[in-house]
Amino acid sequence: QVQLVESGGGLVQAGDSLRLSCAPSGRTSSDYFSGYAMGWFRQAPGKDHEFVAVIGRDGDRQFYSDAVKGRFTISRDDARNTVYLQMNNLKRDDTAVYYCAADSYVRITTIEQLDLPPNELAYWGQGTQVTVSS
């Protein structure tokens, strides 16, 4: 079964930037995820999962949480089956494990309101740690 694999996390200082990547594991056809919206979630220690950003199937729609709006940018490269999260001006509150997901745009943006865990989305990664020190 195809799974998503995140990379690019690490330890940085406040104000620094990081770019996370997410791609499917194993051999997949090109454009495997072109029919899905792609999103990012995060989970800080002791807290629930939190929606971060989503990008539509065609890349024409992006939506961000208020906590990251203006600092983070989500993008996708379907030829590489990869979704990115560019994170600028990182803050200590951004410290979390970051997960990527694939599903419909509506499900990604409403799963929290439905009180469902985001790992019930169609595809879910294993996460990458981002730690921001002051």
Side-chain angles (χ1 to χ4, degrees):
Q1 182 178 354
V2 175
Q3 294 183 322
L4 294 172
V5 179
E6 301 90 341
S7 61
L11 172 62
V12 296
Q13 293 187 329
D16 286 351
S17 298
L18 274 177
R19 189 177 78 157
L20 305 183
S21 300
C22 172
S25 63
R27 299 182 64 181
T28 56
S29 60
S30 61
D31 296 338
Y32 186 91
F33 285 101
S34 62
Y36 292 90
M38 304 292 293
W40 287 92
F41 291 78
R42 66 187 182 185
Q43 186 174 27
K47 296 186 177 180
D48 291 335
H49 287 97
E50 173 191 14
F51 166 80
V52 174
V54 63
I55 187 166
R57 290 180 299 174
D58 299 325
D60 57 339
R61 292 186 293 174
Q62 299 95 41
F63 182 72
Y64 301 89
S65 69
D66 289 341
V68 308
K69 192 179 300 181
R71 299 187 297 122
F72 290 11
T73 302
I74 188 171
S75 62
R76 65 189 295 162
D77 183 344
D78 286 337
R80 299 177 184 270
N81 278 323
T82 301
V83 61
Y84 303 98
L85 185 68
Q86 177 66 43
M87 306 186 295
N88 297 328
N89 191 22
L90 283 160
K91 304 176 180 180
R92 287 193 65 182
D93 287 346
D94 295 319
T95 295
V97 178
Y98 284 72
Y99 301 88
C100 71
D103 207 311
S104 72
Y105 189 93
V106 171
R107 277 184 58 84
I108 290 175
T109 54
T110 63
I111 196 162
E112 288 181 329
Q113 291 92 324
L114 295 173
D115 201 25
L116 294 172
N119 57 7
E120 290 195 6
L121 293 169
Y123 293 92
W124 183 254
Q126 88 292 345
T128 186
Q129 177 71 47
V130 172
T131 303
V132 184
S133 64
S134 59

